[in-house]
Every structure is written in C-alpha cells, then in structure tokens.
Amino acid sequence: MIASAKRLTELAHGGGCGCKLAPSVLQSLLADQPMSGVFGQLLVGTETADDAAVWQIDDTTCVIATTDFFMPMVDDPRDFGRIAAANAISDIYAMGGKPIMALAILGMPIATLAPETIREILKGGASICAEAGIPVAGGHSIDAPEPIYGLAVIGLCRPDQVRRNAGARAGDALILTKGIGVGIYSAAIKRGGLPDGAYGEMIASTTLLNRIGQHLSSDEAVHAITDVTGFGLLGHGLEMARGSGLGLQIDATTVPLLKHAATLAEQGFVTGASERNWASYGDAIDLPGDFPDWHRKLLTDPQTSGGLLVACAPDRATAILTEIVDAGYPAARIIGRAVTGEARVIVQG
C-alpha cells in the first residue's frame, strides 16, 4: 500500500549534484585505488578529474563511458527525470563526444511513491534521451529508501577530438556556457522561497543539453572542456587548473548568473554542499579581500546539469563565444583566462 503523497524533495536528504561527496572526501576514498595507466588503450581514466572514461578502439574511434545519478532537487517527477538525464549525458558532450545510448539507473522507495510518479520520472529521462537522439537501451532498478535516478551513457568520438579538462594552455580564454545558481534555486525550492518565474528559468537551463561540446571538439582552438556540476565553478575550475598545471583567473563580475541567484544568495538560500565545497578546496582559491561572502557561495554553488567551462585560444575566443551563443546558449560569457603559475584559481572583481 502506498503511503500518503509527499513532495519528492521531502523524500531525499539532498538533491541534484549537491548530493555529490565533497571533493576532499572523494579524494581520500580514491587515494589508494589502483591506477589505470597500465591499460594502453585507456586514454582517460582516473588519473585526472575528468568527466568520463575514454577507451580507444582503433585509429579513428574512441568509446566514452560515464554514469551519473542523484536524488530529486525538484518535486515534479518528469522534470526530475529530465534534469537527471541531461546532467548524465553532459559528460559525453564535455569530452567532445556524441552520445549513442543510455542505461537507466533507478532506486525508488516503492512503498512510498506511487507507480505513476516513478513512471513519470522515467518518461522525463526518456524524453531528454530522445532529444539527444539516443535510446534508453536498458538499465537496473532497486527498492531504495530515497528516490534516485540517473543514467549510464555511452558515446563515441575520434581520438583527436577528445577534450579533457587537463588541456588548457597559458593565455587561453575561459568561456562558461550557462548561468550559475542552480543550487541556490534548489535551496529556495525546499524552503518555499523561489520567486515567480524562477522555476521555469531553472528548468530551461538544467534541461538544455550541452551538445555544443561535441561541436567544439572539432575546433583545434578549443583546448580543454569540462562541465560545471556539483563542485561549483571554483571546484571544477580548480580541477582544470590542476590537470593543466596552470592558474585560472576568473573575473567574478563577468560570470553569468541565473536571474535571481544573487538576491537569493544574499538572503541566505545556500546549500550545505556549497559550504562543503569551500571547506574542501578553499585553500587553493584566492579571493579579493573585500569579496562578499554571498558571492563566494555562488561560485561554490553546486550546479546540476550546469554549463561547460571551455578553454580556448585567446585570438579565437570572441568568435567561439559567438558560435556558442548562436547555438542556443545566450548566457555564455568569457569569464577569465589561464595563466602560468601555481595551480590555483584567482578570483578578481
């Protein structure tokens, strides 16, 4: 018998990419795991904090594999499914690949959620997969205490089109393709403080596929790509800095934000993951002395199905930004540059 209806977000202790383990915790868990470098065909494994694994089949073909799943950050089941699917597929695009199929990952409290609700979650995920032009070819499900949904996704690309987060070069311009503040909005949803119209804005952003990554991978001027998710802009920027052996300078005044993100952050709508992120990597971030705390929390805000952070040749940055905007990412902005020096993120503005 199904219990009385509850909001999806009431059934989960966290939501979206805010559920991710803190970077410091993840690092400690992986510290003694065997390295994957002995497999010559594994072009991308666990050595750097890349978005997906890449296995080279032959001179012209690589397979990209990834998985991503989380608990609900919204109460509408179809929207939850759509966001989770778009977020999982994003890893393929962030590596420069083309997704070809997905497998569903489903954990649901069967005694609590009505079958109709679970079907809507699956329908939402399938609709985004259809938009990406791929099938949900199977999957696995369990009875779980909290609702969990996501995908394992397989993609393809050419070896020369693999784009890692570790390929940035000194002088590269940094482009961010979506506005940040998704975690802030999610916190406001849980506390009933999201302004009118903001929900639609958040759904439009989180269900927008990052397919531009596949296009950018064919441009030799694009040197590195990663998607900005649970560790926030500063966390994923730091991963790019460490992987590339460079510093990243970010102009906070140019970072695109969701419309109400700054106001909500000032009002205290902040996720616990934002604070865990800062505790994990804040010692590798340089902030201006008078930088507002609410603004720092925006830069560590966990993004769910966030945008791509792109490092590209500076003389092509304006043209590449125009391509991104014209492809359907109007919030995209140039937000900084890569510089020679210690692997840190230097925030300006």
Side-chain angles (χ1 to χ4, degrees), residues 4 12 14-15 59 72 107 139 154 207 210 213 215 236 290 295 304 309 322 334:
S4 58
D59 291 342
I154 303 298
T207 60
N210 281 326
H215 170 75
H236 291 286
D290 58 350
H295 205 165
T304 302
L309 181 63
T322 299
I334 296 173

Side-chain angles (χ1 to χ4, degrees), residues 105-168:
I105 300 166
L106 185 74
M108 290 289 148
I110 300 301
T112 304
L113 280 182
E116 294 79 9
T117 299
I118 301 172
R119 281 198 293 269
E120 284 300 301
I121 294 170
L122 294 172
K123 286 179 181 178
S127 71
I128 288 293
C129 288
E131 188 177 332
I134 64 174
V136 180
H140 186 65
S141 60
I142 62 169
D143 186 357
E146 296 180 282
I148 297 169
Y149 174 69
L151 300 174
V153 191
I154 303 298
L156 299 174
C157 72
R158 293 176 52 88
D160 61 320
Q161 292 182 345
V162 174
R163 289 298 183 271
R164 305 183 60 171
N165 65 5

Side-chain angles (χ1 to χ4, degrees), residues 234 270 274-275 277-279 285 287 291-301:
L234 295 185
V270 179
S274 177
E275 298 297 350
N277 284 343
W278 180 252
I285 310 295
L287 297 176
F291 200 68
D293 195 50
W294 64 263
H295 205 165
R296 187 266 297 170
K297 291 175 180 176
L298 263 174
L299 299 183
T300 58
D301 184 51

